[in-house]
mmCIF file of all heavy atoms in Angstrom:
data_model
loop_
_atom_site.group_PDB
_atom_site.id
_atom_site.type_symbol
_atom_site.label_atom_id
_atom_site.label_comp_id
_atom_site.label_asym_id
_atom_site.label_seq_id
_atom_site.Cartn_x
_atom_site.Cartn_y
_atom_site.Cartn_z
ATOM 1 N N PHE A 37 -2.657 14.921 -11.681
ATOM 2 C CA PHE A 37 -3.882 15.103 -12.443
ATOM 3 C C PHE A 37 -4.625 16.298 -11.852
ATOM 4 O O PHE A 37 -4.360 16.708 -10.733
ATOM 5 C CB PHE A 37 -4.770 13.858 -12.355
ATOM 6 C CG PHE A 37 -4.252 12.676 -13.106
ATOM 7 C CD1 PHE A 37 -3.114 11.982 -12.694
ATOM 8 C CD2 PHE A 37 -4.889 12.231 -14.250
ATOM 9 C CE1 PHE A 37 -2.633 10.892 -13.399
ATOM 10 C CE2 PHE A 37 -4.426 11.134 -14.967
ATOM 11 C CZ PHE A 37 -3.297 10.467 -14.537
ATOM 12 N N ARG A 38 -5.585 16.825 -12.607
ATOM 13 C CA ARG A 38 -6.414 17.884 -12.056
ATOM 14 C C ARG A 38 -7.843 17.721 -12.533
ATOM 15 O O ARG A 38 -8.107 17.181 -13.607
ATOM 16 C CB ARG A 38 -5.875 19.260 -12.434
ATOM 17 C CG ARG A 38 -5.933 19.611 -13.914
ATOM 18 C CD ARG A 38 -5.237 20.947 -14.158
ATOM 19 N NE ARG A 38 -5.298 21.346 -15.557
ATOM 20 C CZ ARG A 38 -4.653 22.410 -16.049
ATOM 21 N NH1 ARG A 38 -3.892 23.165 -15.239
ATOM 22 N NH2 ARG A 38 -4.767 22.723 -17.323
ATOM 23 N N GLN A 39 -8.740 18.221 -11.695
ATOM 24 C CA GLN A 39 -10.162 18.117 -12.001
ATOM 25 C C GLN A 39 -10.850 19.414 -11.630
ATOM 26 O O GLN A 39 -10.872 19.805 -10.461
ATOM 27 C CB GLN A 39 -10.787 16.943 -11.235
ATOM 28 C CG GLN A 39 -12.222 16.660 -11.625
ATOM 29 C CD GLN A 39 -12.717 15.331 -11.079
ATOM 30 O OE1 GLN A 39 -12.141 14.770 -10.136
ATOM 31 N NE2 GLN A 39 -13.766 14.807 -11.665
ATOM 32 N N ALA A 40 -11.382 20.079 -12.648
ATOM 33 C CA ALA A 40 -12.168 21.290 -12.440
ATOM 34 C C ALA A 40 -13.633 20.906 -12.248
ATOM 35 O O ALA A 40 -14.046 19.818 -12.668
ATOM 36 C CB ALA A 40 -12.006 22.224 -13.624
ATOM 37 N N PRO A 41 -14.424 21.757 -11.627
ATOM 38 C CA PRO A 41 -15.847 21.424 -11.398
ATOM 39 C C PRO A 41 -16.563 21.062 -12.679
ATOM 40 O O PRO A 41 -16.466 21.767 -13.687
ATOM 41 C CB PRO A 41 -16.401 22.715 -10.800
ATOM 42 C CG PRO A 41 -15.244 23.355 -10.137
ATOM 43 C CD PRO A 41 -14.066 23.039 -11.020
ATOM 44 N N GLY A 42 -17.247 19.932 -12.674
ATOM 45 C CA GLY A 42 -18.013 19.500 -13.820
ATOM 46 C C GLY A 42 -17.202 18.911 -14.954
ATOM 47 O O GLY A 42 -17.746 18.630 -16.029
ATOM 48 N N LYS A 43 -15.916 18.716 -14.714
ATOM 49 C CA LYS A 43 -15.050 18.190 -15.776
ATOM 50 C C LYS A 43 -14.385 16.886 -15.345
ATOM 51 O O LYS A 43 -14.413 16.509 -14.176
ATOM 52 C CB LYS A 43 -14.001 19.223 -16.152
ATOM 53 C CG LYS A 43 -14.597 20.493 -16.779
ATOM 54 C CD LYS A 43 -13.527 21.385 -17.362
ATOM 55 C CE LYS A 43 -14.140 22.582 -18.065
ATOM 56 N NZ LYS A 43 -13.090 23.462 -18.664
ATOM 57 N N GLU A 44 -13.773 16.232 -16.322
ATOM 58 C CA GLU A 44 -13.066 14.994 -16.052
ATOM 59 C C GLU A 44 -11.748 15.279 -15.325
ATOM 60 O O GLU A 44 -11.220 16.392 -15.369
ATOM 61 C CB GLU A 44 -12.763 14.276 -17.368
ATOM 62 C CG GLU A 44 -13.985 13.826 -18.138
ATOM 63 C CD GLU A 44 -14.689 12.679 -17.440
ATOM 64 O OE1 GLU A 44 -13.982 11.774 -16.956
ATOM 65 O OE2 GLU A 44 -15.937 12.694 -17.354
ATOM 66 N N ARG A 45 -11.217 14.233 -14.695
ATOM 67 C CA ARG A 45 -9.892 14.330 -14.083
ATOM 68 C C ARG A 45 -8.860 14.052 -15.176
ATOM 69 O O ARG A 45 -8.795 12.942 -15.713
ATOM 70 C CB ARG A 45 -9.753 13.322 -12.951
ATOM 71 C CG ARG A 45 -8.486 13.505 -12.138
ATOM 72 C CD ARG A 45 -8.434 12.562 -10.958
ATOM 73 N NE ARG A 45 -9.547 12.796 -10.030
ATOM 74 C CZ ARG A 45 -9.666 12.175 -8.851
ATOM 75 N NH1 ARG A 45 -8.727 11.316 -8.469
ATOM 76 N NH2 ARG A 45 -10.696 12.431 -8.085
ATOM 77 N N ASP A 46 -8.095 15.052 -15.517
ATOM 78 C CA ASP A 46 -7.174 14.984 -16.646
ATOM 79 C C ASP A 46 -5.720 14.954 -16.189
ATOM 80 O O ASP A 46 -5.371 15.564 -15.172
ATOM 81 C CB ASP A 46 -7.378 16.183 -17.566
ATOM 82 C CG ASP A 46 -8.723 16.166 -18.264
ATOM 83 O OD1 ASP A 46 -9.209 15.061 -18.574
ATOM 84 O OD2 ASP A 46 -9.278 17.252 -18.495
ATOM 85 N N PRO A 47 -4.859 14.313 -16.963
ATOM 86 C CA PRO A 47 -3.427 14.298 -16.628
ATOM 87 C C PRO A 47 -2.798 15.670 -16.852
ATOM 88 O O PRO A 47 -3.138 16.374 -17.807
ATOM 89 C CB PRO A 47 -2.853 13.266 -17.583
ATOM 90 C CG PRO A 47 -3.794 13.261 -18.747
ATOM 91 C CD PRO A 47 -5.141 13.547 -18.182
ATOM 92 N N VAL A 48 -1.908 16.030 -15.967
ATOM 93 C CA VAL A 48 -1.174 17.291 -16.073
ATOM 94 C C VAL A 48 0.295 17.011 -16.369
ATOM 95 O O VAL A 48 0.864 17.596 -17.283
ATOM 96 C CB VAL A 48 -1.297 18.093 -14.760
ATOM 97 C CG1 VAL A 48 -0.423 19.346 -14.811
ATOM 98 C CG2 VAL A 48 -2.745 18.453 -14.480
#
Side-chain angles (χ1 to χ4, degrees):
F37 289 70
R38 66 186 182 187
Q39 187 168 19
K43 295 190 176 181
E44 296 290 317
R45 189 175 298 186
D46 293 326
V48 174

